[in-house]
Amino acid sequence: MALELIGLAATTQQALRSLRFRGRAAIAGLTAETTRIDAYEDLMAREAELIGVMDHTIDEVREVLDHAARGGLVLGSVVTETIPLDADAVNRSLDSLADFGPGIRTVIVP
């Protein structure tokens, strides 16, 4: 399973190409960019699924977090920044994200 949240053509392609056989890529990031997909290489040869995700429920978030807590997702290596639960820090991080800054995978901690 790959979840693309950034909305870049490059990360969408990376999500697809990271899949194992019969994997699923869920694309949630919004973009105006055109993403090129090699139907055979990226999907058919892997029997992979590509789904668009408009929104999620709290139950789905809990399921993903439970899966991560059980060790099913290794997230530590992809976190680029950890910030405190503070309005100024969060706003700086959101501004950086809007400018495609380095803190693209930021985790907010209490």
Side-chain angles (χ1 to χ4, degrees):
M1 170 78 188
L3 178 59
E4 196 288 326
L5 299 168
I6 300 169
L8 297 175
T11 53
T12 299
Q13 291 166 341
Q14 289 170 350
L16 284 169
R17 293 183 181 140
S18 72
L19 296 177
R20 296 170 99 177
F21 184 72
R22 293 190 179 165
R24 176 185 281 185
I27 309 302
L30 300 175
T31 184
E33 287 185 300
T34 298
T35 302
R36 294 180 103 37
I37 297 170
D38 181 327
Y40 181 77
E41 187 68 31
D42 295 336
L43 299 172
M44 294 164 56
R46 295 181 178 151
E47 295 185 19
E49 291 182 64
L50 171 62
I51 61 171
V53 180
M54 182 60 173
D55 207 352
H56 56 273
T57 67
I58 192 65
D59 289 336
E60 292 166 332
V61 171
R62 285 186 187 115
E63 184 179 341
V64 169
L65 292 176
D66 288 344
H67 188 60
R70 290 189 308 270
L73 296 173
V74 179
L75 302 174
S77 64
V78 298
V79 173
T80 57
E81 181 180 16
T82 302
I83 62 171
L85 180 56
D86 169 76
D88 290 334
V90 170
N91 286 331
R92 280 192 302 276
S93 183
L94 290 172
D95 289 342
S96 176
L97 181 62
D99 295 332
F100 296 98
I104 202 124
R105 291 180 211 100
T106 300
V107 173
I108 302 168
V109 294

